[in-house]
Each structure stands twice: as structure tokens, then as C-alpha cells.
Amino acid sequence: MQRVWAWLAGGFMAYIPANVYPMLETTTLGKTQSNTLLGGVIELVLHHSYGVAAIVFFASIVIPIGKFVAISYLAVQVQRHDRHAIHLKHRMLEVVEFIGRWSMIDVFVVALLSSLVQLGSVVSVKPGIAAISFALSVVFTMLSAMSFDSRLIWDTDTKDTKTA
């Protein structure tokens, strides 16, 4: 469980700068604009791109926070030897592991935009420091979920049933 907590803490520490620093720096006709993750969502809403804004918000804010909460919850429940809703906890771990594979989509979009949108002095897009932080956060939470031994959820050795 120490590895789970260590990777999770690393992921959370990397997630903070991913939300504070710019994810993208866009230069259009010499004017540079930087946006954080949430700033990008707000910018998309202001441009009436509600669907894209919802997807970015969900993928960049809701899912990572959900992963932190889910892994923390599972780790605490295992350490407390809580036997309630074992099947639900196991399913939760499977969902967190599955989502981890798709969590890098934001980083891929930033990399794709950076490589495709380079029109000299007219328009350029560069990844910000938040892109690296977000990628690290995703990798660390994936390692945390992978370090979680699912057998601990099914462990029948509880504090209440131990005998001398």
C-alpha cells in the first residue's frame, strides 16, 4: 500500500501545477495568449463550443479528481479491512485502471496542435509547462492504480474475525 500512496501523492503534486500553469500558449499575429485547463474550458464556452468545453472539462478536471478520490477511497477501505461492497470496490478499481489508459488524451491533443499549427509568424501553438505536469500526474495515478493489489480488496482477514 505504500507504493499506492506514494504514486498517488506524486500524481496529486503534479496535478497542482497542471492546473496553475498554462497548458497552451497560442500566438496569433504576434499576440500571445496562455490558458490553463480551466481557462481553456472557459474560453471554449465563450466561443460557444459547449460540447468541446464539456469534453475538456470532463477529461481534464472531473476524471483526474475522480481517480484521486477513488484510489484514496479504495486504499483507505483496504487498510481498514472493510468488507462491505467488495464487488463494487473491485469494479471501481477496474474502472480506474481502464480510464487510466485514456487519460492522456489531453496531452495528445496538445502535442498534435503544437505540431500541426505552425504557420510562421501568423499562428503558432506551443505546449505549456502544465502539459508536462498533467502527463506526469496521469502516469503517476496509473502507476498508483497498477500498484494496487486487488487481492487486498478480497482479503478475508479482518480485525473483527482475528482470534488469538
Side-chain angles (χ1 to χ4, degrees):
M1 290 309 296
Q2 289 177 347
R3 274 187 252 141
V4 171
W5 285 113
W7 286 123
L8 190 64
F12 186 73
M13 286 189 283
Y15 188 68
I16 293 170
N19 283 285
V20 174
Y21 293 107
M23 180 65 91
L24 279 176
E25 294 177 0
T26 308
T27 305
T28 307
L29 298 173
K31 181 183 174 191
T32 301
Q33 181 179 357
S34 300
N35 278 321
T36 61
L37 287 171
L38 194 55
V41 170
I42 293 169
E43 191 75 24
L44 287 167
V45 168
L46 292 175
H47 286 97
H48 305 290
S49 296
Y50 303 114
V52 177
I55 291 169
V56 171
F57 179 74
F58 193 72
S60 303
I61 308 292
V62 174
I63 288 177
I65 290 173
K67 285 171 42 179
F68 290 127
V69 170
I71 294 170
S72 298
Y73 171 77
L74 290 171
V76 167
Q77 294 300 309
V78 163
Q79 289 177 328
R80 287 185 180 172
H81 300 284
D82 188 349
R83 300 266 307 141
H84 295 98
I86 291 174
H87 292 286
L88 181 64
K89 292 174 191 171
H90 187 70
R91 178 67 60 189
M92 185 184 298
L93 181 60
E94 288 176 346
V95 168
V96 167
E97 287 177 341
F98 176 77
I99 288 173
R101 298 176 191 145
W102 296 96
S103 297
M104 292 291 271
I105 197 160
D106 296 7
V107 178
F108 291 139
V109 168
V110 169
L112 190 64
L113 279 174
S114 299
S115 64
L116 292 178
V117 183
Q118 299 298 329
L119 300 175
S121 61
V122 179
V123 177
S124 69
V125 177
K126 295 179 186 173
I129 191 71
I132 295 168
S133 297
F134 190 81
L136 283 173
S137 177
V138 169
V139 169
F140 290 164
T141 55
M142 284 174 59
L143 289 170
S144 178
M146 290 170 50
S147 298
F148 200 102
D149 187 358
S150 63
R151 293 176 296 180
L152 294 174
I153 295 173
W154 299 95
D155 192 7
T156 59
D157 185 22
T158 62
K159 292 178 183 179
D160 299 333
T161 61
K162 285 187 178 178
T163 58

